[in-house]
Amino acid sequence: MTGWLAVVGLGPGQEDMVTPQVRAVLAEATDVIGYFPYVARVAPREGLTLHGSDNRVEIDRADHALRLASQGARVVIVSSGDPGVFAMASALFEALEAQPEHHGLDIRILPGITAMLAAAARAGAPLGHDFCAINLSDNLKPWDLVEHRLRLAAQADFAMGFYNPRSASRPHQFARVLEILRQECGPDRLIIFARAVSTPDERISTVTLDEATPEMADMRTVVLVGNSATRRVGRFVYTPRSVG
């Protein structure tokens, strides 16, 4: 049996947002590997082994997947959203880089709908012009770098999407993010808090930076900040495609 390894995105949460391509490889898989909540989204069936693990063992997870695939298994690593956006595709290649014996494996990266894009669609079109995405967690990079990138993005007048804005272990950092945004963008800039998009717990709230508070965000929230031209039209928020 010839093994292969696919890293896939399950989308933001709603089952019909999983692509047909991802559904097809899941139907062929012998093993599914990932963070416990993501693996739980895959229906058990005969011939399929589910391997759930903690969120901070990405390299161990990648090593496990490479080992199984090299032994002939058909392995799928599951991520939420898109696997290439702050997710498992990069972790897999980090593990692969140190294991040249696996460089010839059949490896596929299958895209998914990101939480950021799903949130933007719910709000309207806040990412309609140049934008950037920043992971606000300092688990894998120093907080000084987070602040530096945030300030430069705001000065460049990008619309911005923020992942992992506020956790129980670092509740104070998002308050600092809001402080920097007010300094660089002013109090009237629109900010969107999109929590649990496409799930029954979905909540979308659009306020100005002056009205925003740290408690509006948690780890299930994607935060979108408009650029200087972003504005409301009825119940929607959009950023014009032209500048000036």
Side-chain angles (χ1 to χ4, degrees), residues 1-6 8 20-32 42-43 45-49 72-76 106 108 110:
M1 181 172 65
T2 302
W4 48 257
L5 172 55
V8 310
Q21 186 183 41
V22 169
R23 291 187 186 278
V25 298
L26 286 171
E28 297 177 23
T30 59
D31 295 83
V32 170
V42 179
R45 58 172 169 79
E46 186 177 353
L48 177 65
T49 303
R74 301 186 297 274
V75 184
V76 176
D106 178 359
R108 318 162 197 177
L110 305 186

Side-chain angles (χ1 to χ4, degrees), residues 157-220:
D157 201 23
F158 283 109
M160 293 169 271
F162 300 140
Y163 283 75
N164 302 317
R166 184 172 179 268
S167 70
S169 63
R170 47 182 180 84
H172 60 288
Q173 291 175 345
F174 189 61
R176 176 61 179 156
V177 168
L178 292 176
E179 180 183 346
I180 292 170
L181 290 173
R182 292 184 187 110
Q183 291 170 0
E184 300 294 343
C185 304
D188 297 326
R189 186 67 57 89
L190 292 175
I191 181 169
I192 299 160
F193 295 87
R195 186 178 190 278
V197 172
S198 85
T199 78
D201 298 324
E202 177 178 305
R203 185 173 69 247
I204 310 291
S205 176
T206 301
V207 298
T208 65
L209 281 174
D210 191 49
E211 297 166 326
T213 65
E215 294 74 24
M216 291 179 173
D218 62 13
M219 290 294 282
R220 297 188 69 193

Side-chain angles (χ1 to χ4, degrees), residues 15-226:
E15 287 308 309
D16 61 5
M17 287 187 170
V18 180
T19 70
Q21 186 183 41
V22 169
R23 291 187 186 278
V25 298
L26 286 171
E28 297 177 23
T30 59
D31 295 83
V32 170
I33 296 175
Y35 180 38
F36 287 117
Y38 307 152
V39 171
R41 291 179 57 186
V42 179
R45 58 172 169 79
E46 186 177 353
L48 177 65
T49 303
L50 303 176
H51 308 265
S53 54
D54 184 76
N55 200 29
R56 295 199 180 192
V57 294
E58 289 92 346
I59 298 301
D60 291 344
R61 191 179 297 144
D63 286 339
H64 186 199
L66 288 167
R67 187 166 58 252
L68 286 174
S70 71
Q71 294 167 355
R74 301 186 297 274
V75 184
V76 176
I77 300 177
V78 289
S79 292
S80 67
D82 180 278
V85 180
F86 307 127
M88 277 301 301
S90 182
L92 172 69
F93 290 123
E94 184 179 345
L96 182 66
E97 190 173 12
Q99 301 178 55
E101 68 274 19
H102 294 321
H103 285 190
L105 277 175
D106 178 359
I107 295 175
R108 318 162 197 177
I109 311 299
L110 305 186
I113 297 172
T114 71
M116 179 180 67
L117 296 182
R122 285 289 198 263
L127 305 180
H129 206 289
D130 298 338
F131 68 91
C132 66
I134 301 175
N135 187 342
L136 296 181
S137 170
D138 61 352
N139 286 335
L140 298 174
K141 60 180 181 289
W143 178 250
D144 287 349
L145 181 59
V146 176
E147 287 199 11
H148 180 64
R149 289 178 173 174
L150 171 63
R151 198 175 289 278
L152 290 179
Q155 290 172 359
D157 201 23
F158 283 109
M160 293 169 271
F162 300 140
Y163 283 75
N164 302 317
R166 184 172 179 268
S167 70
S169 63
R170 47 182 180 84
H172 60 288
Q173 291 175 345
F174 189 61
R176 176 61 179 156
V177 168
L178 292 176
E179 180 183 346
I180 292 170
L181 290 173
R182 292 184 187 110
Q183 291 170 0
E184 300 294 343
C185 304
D188 297 326
R189 186 67 57 89
L190 292 175
I191 181 169
I192 299 160
F193 295 87
R195 186 178 190 278
V197 172
S198 85
T199 78
D201 298 324
E202 177 178 305
R203 185 173 69 247
I204 310 291
S205 176
T206 301
V207 298
T208 65
L209 281 174
D210 191 49
E211 297 166 326
T213 65
E215 294 74 24
M216 291 179 173
D218 62 13
M219 290 294 282
R220 297 188 69 193
T221 306
V222 172
V223 180
L224 305 176
V225 179

